[in-house]
Amino acid sequence: MDSFSSPSSGSSPKYSAEDLMDQLKVQLAQAYAEEFLETVRGKCFEKCITKPGSSLSGSESSCISRCTERYIEATGIIGRALFNQR
Amino acid sequence: MDPSSVNSPELERFLNQEKQKAMVNEMIGKLTSVCWDKCITGTPGSKFSSSETSCLTNCAQRYMDMSILIMKRLQQ
């Protein structure tokens, strides 16, 4: 956040518009990725780790990887349903 | 951040674009979550069944229909 603090008034801007946009792009991409990751964690934990054991079983691991793939696929299906039709 | 504080039409355009993208992203994320819970009832397989796929599509589109209906209802 510090990098966004505005330069003291009067002086020329510390960052050009291009610099700011580049920074924002990176930070937005990070924020989107983190949010998505958190959602997938929640959904797949619910689906795959129904009874937490003393370690992650093989079937739980493979469920998690399938779940992750399906969640990404579902996101694509929803996006297309909303914007490619009608 | 106030876009007008940085005097650049280019930046302002960029911020508006990103705002719009954020809204679309949020909507897709929300509907994916809701429709996943509704449509994917079993453990996720290595492929979606055709009924799961069409449930997801229908779910998203009906959610939008519903939103419009509710909005109209509230405006009456």
Side-chain angles (χ1 to χ4, degrees), chain A residues 28-86:
Chain A
L28 281 168
Q30 269 169 8
Y32 289 140
E34 258 165 51
E35 202 189 318
F36 189 73
L37 191 64
E38 178 51 33
T39 307
V40 175
R41 267 199 295 256
K43 296 293 180 189
C44 295
F45 188 80
E46 208 178 303
K47 282 260 185 254
C48 299
I49 321 290
T50 44
K51 273 190 185 160
S54 55
S55 70
L56 213 57
S57 73
S59 65
E60 285 169 335
S61 307
S62 60
C63 177
I64 288 163
S65 71
R66 281 196 308 269
C67 177
T68 305
E69 283 167 28
R70 291 296 76 70
Y71 204 84
I72 293 167
E73 191 184 344
T75 303
I77 292 172
I78 299 291
R80 265 174 270 128
L82 290 183
F83 296 104
N84 286 1
Q85 271 159 270
R86 300 197 296 177

Side-chain angles (χ1 to χ4, degrees), chain B residues 39-75:
Chain B
C39 298
I40 316 302
T41 46
T43 17
S46 53
K47 232 172 151 273
F48 276 140
S49 67
S50 60
S51 66
E52 284 171 326
T53 307
S54 61
C55 179
L56 287 170
T57 302
N58 290 337
C59 172
Q61 294 179 344
R62 294 303 78 72
Y63 193 97
M64 296 315 285
D65 290 345
M66 182 197 69
S67 307
I68 295 167
L69 208 63
I70 290 174
M71 231 134 54
K72 279 189 187 151
R73 205 78 189 79
L74 290 176
Q75 277 166 359

Side-chain angles (χ1 to χ4, degrees), chain B residues 1-70:
Chain B
M1 190 174 65
D2 178 13
S4 63
S5 67
V6 183
N7 198 4
S8 158
E10 198 192 345
L11 182 62
E12 207 172 323
R13 196 167 356 99
F14 170 80
L15 287 175
N16 283 329
Q17 244 171 37
E18 290 303 321
K19 232 181 266 177
Q20 214 142 30
K21 264 197 243 171
M23 269 171 56
V24 168
N25 257 332
E26 204 187 313
M27 193 194 248
I28 292 177
K30 194 222 152 72
L31 280 186
T32 304
S33 168
V34 169
C35 295
W36 172 270
D37 291 344
K38 266 231 196 294
C39 298
I40 316 302
T41 46
T43 17
S46 53
K47 232 172 151 273
F48 276 140
S49 67
S50 60
S51 66
E52 284 171 326
T53 307
S54 61
C55 179
L56 287 170
T57 302
N58 290 337
C59 172
Q61 294 179 344
R62 294 303 78 72
Y63 193 97
M64 296 315 285
D65 290 345
M66 182 197 69
S67 307
I68 295 167
L69 208 63
I70 290 174

